Amino acid sequence: MQAKNATERFTELFSEIEHSIESEQKHEIEELNGFMEEMDRKEFESIFIEKLFNSIDKMIEEKKMPLENAILLQKHIGYCMTLKRTFNCSFSFSSLSNRIEKMIIEGNKKKDGKDEYQLVNLCECYLLNCALAPNEFPSICLPCLLKAASKKEEDDETQKEVEMALLSLSNIPYFRFDKELYLNEIKEIILNHQERHNLTRLAYQSAWQFLMNEFEYEEGLEGVIVNELHFIKEAPTEMEELSKYANWKREKKDERGKEIKEELPLIGWLGTLKCYFLSCKLWNEEFAGLIDGILRAFRAAKENYRDISYWCVCSFEEAADQNAVKGDDLLKGGSY
């Protein structure tokens, strides 16, 4: 008999989960998380449709799944959705999305007895899954997520919390708000990592992406990015480390989860570079290092990682189109 694939095992277990008691559900959700990580992008997209999110909402409504368990499941769905770089509007149009929206708004309104831990979890659920966040949500989610991302303990559980908070922040699109609401906090997170190396690679890249999302429209941030946070040195160093993983062979199914987790921050850095080149005005001889970093990532990835190769080309083209670097820098980087 042919073994069931990850989507079949997920579907079978998900259909049974509403009949389990709370403690059993937590164990089953961990199993579901494992099945999600095994799925490829197409398999994942075939499972996580509006109907599934509505089913989770119905289980909450009928008290067949405690909210805590639903949040646990939904956060991991969003985490995997981001890792696999698959984004759609299914969650946005679901009844579960409406429920979480209302809970975030109501939870934020509370003056006394505000449950900040739950608010963080709800914001992460929402931002990791939603492609169409209401305009007021960034200003609600930003303070609590930055606070969660600023934790300095280095145990595994805290590192995971920080990573989830920063990954959620990186999904916030640009919107106009007072820089004082975020700039000092995100600077401290980045500088602290440069000194202590206390973040995961994905968390560190996500912190930069959050800042870069604003830089695309706020040119005044370039001095901070270049002179205070040393982006031009940090980006190629991080890409060089991550490019080492580009030699993995795609046929190694048992390493699939590991591949995805290392691939995402490298693609993220390339996307961040593209954003930077789009708006940058300052450059010097160090820019050759950025170009060289893109080229080295491309050479390492071109056989096995089509997505990485694509983002290398996009980043390089943006640098050339915007005249972000001088001809001498391009030659130094070995682009010709």
Side-chain angles (χ1 to χ4, degrees):
M1 182 181 295
Q2 187 175 3
K4 296 178 181 178
N5 62 30
T7 56
E8 292 170 331
R9 286 179 288 162
F10 181 97
T11 302
E12 186 177 277
L13 182 56
F14 183 79
S15 66
E16 299 172 355
I17 200 168
E18 65 179 295
H19 305 295
S20 304
I21 61 175
E22 182 176 349
S23 58
E24 289 177 349
Q25 277 188 358
K26 288 186 177 179
H27 175 71
E28 291 168 342
I29 287 170
E30 288 303 315
E31 287 189 68
L32 291 174
N33 293 347
F35 298 153
M36 284 185 233
E37 291 184 0
E38 290 180 36
M39 296 177 195
D40 63 28
R41 194 182 306 175
K42 288 185 178 179
E43 290 170 334
F44 192 89
E45 290 172 348
S46 72
I47 290 290
F48 295 99
I49 57 177
E50 186 178 342
K51 181 180 178 180
L52 182 135
F53 297 123
N54 288 338
S55 296
I56 296 174
D57 184 60
K58 185 178 179 182
M59 281 189 268
I60 297 172
E61 182 68 26
E62 297 177 351
K63 302 188 184 307
K64 294 179 178 179
M65 179 180 286
L67 180 63
E68 179 185 356
N69 287 356
I71 288 174
L72 184 66
L73 175 60
Q74 193 61 37
K75 279 178 64 173
H76 201 79
I77 292 172
Y79 182 74
C80 284
M81 188 177 295
T82 305
L83 288 181
K84 298 175 191 296
R85 301 179 309 285
T86 175
F87 304 98
N88 60 57
C89 295
S90 296
F91 173 78
S92 300
F93 295 127
S94 70
S95 58
L96 180 60
S97 173
N98 292 333
R99 177 184 295 274
I100 294 176
E101 279 185 25
K102 292 176 183 177
M103 291 185 70
I104 290 173
I105 292 170
E106 290 171 2
N108 184 63
K109 285 179 180 178
K110 289 182 179 179
K111 302 298 181 183
D112 299 318
K114 181 181 289 189
D115 190 339
E116 292 189 6
Y117 179 75
Q118 186 180 81
L119 188 58
V120 166
N121 281 318
L122 289 170
C123 287
E124 289 173 348
C125 277
Y126 198 83
L127 291 172
L128 290 170
N129 286 277
C130 187
L132 302 169
N135 291 336
E136 71 270 23
F137 266 42
S139 60
I140 294 175
C141 297
L142 190 64
C144 65
L145 289 177
L146 275 173
K147 185 176 180 180
S150 298
K151 293 180 179 179
K152 293 183 171 59
E153 296 85 355
E154 296 184 15
D155 58 280
D156 290 344
E157 183 176 349
T158 303
Q159 276 212 329
K160 185 64 177 177
E161 290 176 9
V162 169
E163 183 180 83
M164 290 291 278
L166 287 169
L167 192 60
S168 301
L169 285 168
S170 73
N171 282 350
I172 295 179
Y174 169 77
F175 71 105
R176 292 190 178 277
F177 54 87
D178 189 344
K179 293 186 183 65
E180 292 181 3
L181 290 176
Y182 75 91
L183 187 55
N184 289 336
E185 286 85 351
I186 202 67
K187 279 170 58 178
E188 184 178 349
I189 290 169
I190 291 173
L191 289 170
N192 190 58
H193 172 77
Q194 291 174 358
E195 180 181 346
R196 298 170 55 192
H197 300 283
N198 62 312
L199 300 176
T200 65
R201 293 194 182 280
L202 178 57
Y204 187 48
Q205 187 278 317
S206 297
W208 273 109
Q209 186 60 52
F210 168 66
L211 186 59
M212 207 62 68
N213 287 346
E214 304 307 312
F215 170 58
E216 187 172 351
Y217 299 92
E218 299 284 350
E219 295 183 4
L221 286 176
E222 187 168 12
V224 173
I225 290 169
V226 174
N227 299 323
E228 295 184 47
L229 300 178
H230 314 292
F231 175 75
I232 296 173
K233 290 183 179 179
E234 289 292 302
T237 299
E238 288 293 308
M239 290 193 340
E240 182 176 5
E241 287 299 311
L242 289 163
S243 292
K244 295 174 183 177
Y245 296 98
N247 291 321
W248 289 331
K249 299 297 182 184
R250 282 300 201 185
E251 59 267 20
K252 290 185 179 180
K253 301 290 186 183
D254 57 323
E255 294 187 6
R256 181 172 190 82
K258 184 179 178 184
E259 287 178 347
I260 290 172
K261 289 175 183 177
E262 297 295 350
E263 179 180 342
L264 181 70
L266 178 52
I267 292 176
W269 277 109
L270 291 164
T272 300
L273 280 170
K274 186 176 185 297
C275 289
Y276 179 71
F277 290 139
L278 181 63
S279 303
C280 71
K281 305 294 181 189
L282 304 174
W283 65 76
N284 54 38
E285 66 278 0
E286 292 177 343
F287 264 71
L290 289 180
I291 299 301
D292 189 52
I294 297 170
L295 289 169
R296 280 187 277 115
F298 177 79
R299 294 187 191 108
K302 63 182 179 181
E303 296 297 328
N304 299 315
Y305 287 84
R306 184 172 297 176
D307 283 355
I308 293 177
S309 300
Y310 168 78
W311 278 103
C312 287
V313 172
C314 287
S315 300
F316 185 77
E317 285 180 343
E318 191 63 56
D321 289 347
Q322 299 297 327
N323 295 316
V325 290
K326 300 177 180 179
D328 289 346
D329 294 329
L330 296 175
L331 289 170
K332 289 176 184 175
S335 58
Y336 297 133

